[in-house]
Amino acid sequence: MAKPMTAVTPGGGAGPSAAGAPVRWDGTRYERLLQASSRFAALDADLRPEVMPGQSIESLERCADRIEGHLADEAYELAVQTLIDTSVHYSHSGYLNQQLNFPLPGAVIGALWGAALNQGQAVFSMSPMTSVIERRALTWAQQRLGLGDEAFGISCGGGSLANLSAMLAARNRLDAWGAWDRGQPADVTVLVSRHAHYSIARAAAIVGIGTARVRAMPTDEDGRIDLAAVFEVLAEGGACIVCLSAGTTSTGTFDDMAGFFERAPTLDPARVWVHVDAAHGGSFYSCPHLARQFAALKRADSVCWDLHKVFFQSVPLSFLFFKDRHAASHASRHSTPYLTQECAGDYPDMHNWTLECSRHANAIKLWLSLHTTGAEAIERDVRGLHALTVTLSERLRQNARLTVYGQPDTNIVCFRVASGVYGDGITQQLFDQLNGTRYWSVGHVHLDGHFFIKVCFMNPRMTEALVIEFASEVERQLRTVAAVMLVGDESADGSHEFIEAVW
């Protein structure tokens, strides 16, 4: 059980911040905390050999006690350093696990600026300047994604919330507000790739469509949704929400959105809503090999993009775009007697368009990043991550003992040991060996009923030389796994072919 937190008076002892004094803004303490926080700047390096902190729950509890003690003693630098020492370092060269990044300075400081101002983004009059900044950031992103001039964007607290907002708007349009107004079940089918993010099916459950109405479509050998299967369902009639993925979380694969809209030049808006989940892949808009797919985005009814993934922003920063304001108007319909329902120029009161009322001014992070680091530099790093992904994919394909899943559209490579029915077990051992080195941290994913090792490039500090070093580490650990199996005389289980191939 986690220990309860005890309020501590600065300088020692328990109790309020000052006896009998109200809690107030303390400029001196603010400046000291800022000064101590400068230690975070050192994170843009491999500060330790190990990528993970490698501590037990008991050890972490003791470290939390030390941090609280440092805070009580006003030793803020020690508190920050202990926090750094006991956290996962996403800036570490060996972190290849999840879609988490070490954010840009503009993103970090932008979050601080937004928190310090604490503007109420629900109403323009409560957040005039940050609303202007938010709309500028949304317009910039809208143009980068190639969406139409009529598109309307909102800022959301994460891709799951963006997908939920899109699902709600789609349901409201397709069932003419029946579920919203009368609580009647929504007679709508949701079509998704079997590799789609889980938040799609969850959103369908939340808005009353139900998971039973979510149909997972088959995919091809590269993990792209089978368009023929999609159009077979559409031909059956009935209301459908088609969810296409621009970069799946499992493999980074883009569904063929261009092919979909080429086969369906016109769609009945009363019967079909097309949502594109570009939470992961939206950041790859500058990659030439994906130009055809991004050119098709403007046809979608809604598109979401997580900038806190591969665009190096801090969590959360997600944008959701609708084809136009009319489509966006289906996201909510409510009366709010204590808030205004106005539109000052291009700046409407956003509580009319978002599920959230109280929203952080998250877009200021992107705005500051664009005006400090610059879009071109960020785009270059994104393309660099894709190039490293191609390098690893090609290197691993040279090893006949390995199977690489699909083609690398974005920044993910999935591979497993090719050893018949024993491949999953051997791949699991290889996964354990790689993470056991403590320098590398890799993920895993189940695809087509098999266990795959998943490598996700999120760090622009990664180099081609390090990619080759990682590929060599895979080969070394393969030999280690084979040696362990040989010593254990496990060849009798039929995996002797793998051992012979390695040796």
Side-chain angles (χ1 to χ4, degrees):
M1 176 181 291
K3 294 177 58 178
M5 185 177 68
T6 302
V8 178
T9 300
S17 58
V23 176
R24 61 182 178 82
W25 181 268
D26 185 335
T28 300
R29 194 178 310 282
Y30 177 81
E31 291 179 357
R32 290 189 57 200
L33 286 167
L34 278 181
Q35 183 178 7
S37 298
S38 66
R39 287 177 174 256
F40 288 114
L43 275 171
D44 193 24
D46 290 358
L47 295 184
R48 62 186 181 218
E50 303 85 8
V51 61
M52 307 294 283
Q55 293 177 309
S56 66
I57 295 296
E58 293 76 11
S59 175
L60 290 171
E61 291 283 3
R62 291 192 295 270
C63 288
D65 289 340
R66 289 202 301 272
I67 293 173
E68 292 174 1
H70 293 324
L71 293 173
D73 296 336
E74 300 186 26
Y76 300 136
E77 289 81 3
L78 291 176
V80 170
Q81 190 59 55
T82 306
L83 183 61
I84 291 173
D85 293 343
T86 52
S87 297
V88 179
H89 292 176
Y90 299 129
S91 58
H92 193 287
S93 302
Y95 189 83
L96 305 171
N97 198 320
Q98 298 293 329
Q99 297 170 34
L100 296 162
N101 69 76
F102 179 58
L104 293 167
V108 175
I109 302 304
L112 173 64
W113 289 3
L117 292 170
N118 202 32
Q119 303 290 280
Q121 295 296 119
V123 177
F124 179 78
S125 63
M126 296 165 56
S127 55
M129 180 50 70
T130 51
S131 291
V132 170
I133 289 172
E134 178 176 271
R135 187 53 53 190
R136 289 189 174 197
L138 285 163
T139 299
W140 174 90
Q142 173 183 329
Q143 294 170 347
R144 285 304 194 274
L145 293 179
L147 304 179
D149 293 338
E150 299 301 315
F152 182 76
I154 64 175
S155 179
C156 299
S160 293
L161 185 56
N163 283 334
L164 174 60
S165 300
M167 186 71 69
L168 179 60
R171 185 210 66 184
N172 288 339
R173 189 176 81 181
L174 296 178
D175 80 344
W177 296 92
W180 182 283
D181 291 337
R182 298 179 294 279
Q184 65 189 37
D187 187 16
V188 178
T189 299
V190 180
L191 307 181
V192 299
S193 160
R194 62 195 181 97
H195 297 316
H197 194 266
Y198 71 89
S199 64
I200 299 291
R202 186 175 64 181
I206 292 172
V207 303
I209 294 174
T211 56
R213 301 299 300 271
V214 178
R215 298 178 61 172
M217 297 289 98
T219 57
D220 64 17
E221 64 276 8
D222 291 324
R224 308 184 203 287
I225 195 168
D226 185 340
L227 293 182
V230 171
F231 281 100
E232 284 181 11
V233 177
L234 291 177
E236 296 172 1
C240 285
I241 302 172
V242 179
C243 296
L244 302 175
S245 296
T248 62
T249 307
S250 296
T251 66
T253 304
F254 269 56
D255 288 333
D256 187 6
M257 298 172 291
F260 174 85
F261 287 113
E262 287 169 1
R263 293 183 61 170
T266 59
L267 293 168
D268 181 0
R271 196 175 76 82
V272 180
W273 179 293
V274 180
H275 173 64
V276 175
D277 181 1
H280 178 71
S283 298
F284 294 85
Y285 63 81
S286 68
C287 292
H289 70 287
L290 293 172
R292 177 171 170 267
Q293 301 303 330
F294 277 97
L297 283 184
K298 59 181 176 290
R299 295 284 311 281
D301 293 288
S302 54
V303 179
C304 76
W305 177 15
D306 283 0
L307 293 106
H308 61 245
K309 287 189 168 65
V310 201
F311 218 70
F312 317 119
Q313 301 298 294
S314 60
V315 175
L317 181 55
S318 300
F319 289 165
L320 172 63
F321 294 94
F322 294 95
K323 181 181 291 186
D324 50 40
R325 288 201 182 199
H326 178 67
S329 70
H330 289 86
S332 180
R333 186 167 71 181
H334 61 270
S335 174
T336 312
Y338 63 93
L339 296 177
T340 59
Q341 308 272 341
E342 300 173 351
C343 182
D346 293 330
Y347 308 103
D349 290 334
M350 291 304 296
H351 69 88
N352 293 305
W353 308 87
T354 63
L355 292 182
E356 303 159 280
C357 184
S358 299
R359 286 188 305 115
H360 187 273
N362 284 317
I364 199 172
K365 299 184 291 188
L366 173 63
W367 174 79
L368 187 55
S369 297
L370 294 175
H371 287 281
T372 50
T373 299
E376 291 185 1
I378 301 173
E379 292 163 359
R380 182 174 61 249
D381 282 345
V382 172
R383 292 193 299 272
L385 293 178
H386 173 253
L388 294 177
T389 308
V390 172
T391 297
L392 179 62
S393 176
E394 292 177 347
R395 174 66 182 263
L396 295 178
R397 289 177 194 277
Q398 295 173 10
N399 190 328
R401 299 181 297 276
L402 299 175
T403 296
V404 179
Y405 190 94
Q407 298 298 322
D409 282 344
T410 52
N411 64 323
I412 296 176
V413 177
C414 300
F415 67 96
R416 66 186 296 269
V417 176
S419 185
V421 296
Y422 306 100
D424 282 355
I426 299 171
T427 304
Q428 176 75 64
Q429 293 180 56
L430 176 60
F431 170 81
D432 293 338
Q433 287 291 130
L434 288 170
N435 285 329
T437 65
R438 300 289 302 281
Y439 181 84
W440 303 105
S441 175
V442 298
H444 72 276
V445 63
H446 292 273
L447 298 168
D448 300 336
H450 293 294
F451 183 93
F452 280 76
I453 294 172
K454 175 183 173 182
V455 173
C456 192
F457 289 106
M458 297 291 294
N459 188 350
R461 293 178 55 246
M462 193 70 172
T463 64
E464 185 173 352
L466 282 171
V467 171
I468 299 303
E469 181 180 333
F470 173 75
S472 298
E473 183 68 27
V474 170
E475 294 168 356
R476 284 193 296 271
Q477 296 302 333
L478 265 176
R479 290 192 291 271
T480 299
V481 170
V484 170
M485 294 172 67
L486 187 62
V487 170
D489 193 26
E490 297 182 10
S491 58
D493 67 2
S495 57
H496 59 278
E497 294 181 359
F498 162 74
I499 299 175
E500 293 175 355
V502 170
W503 291 99

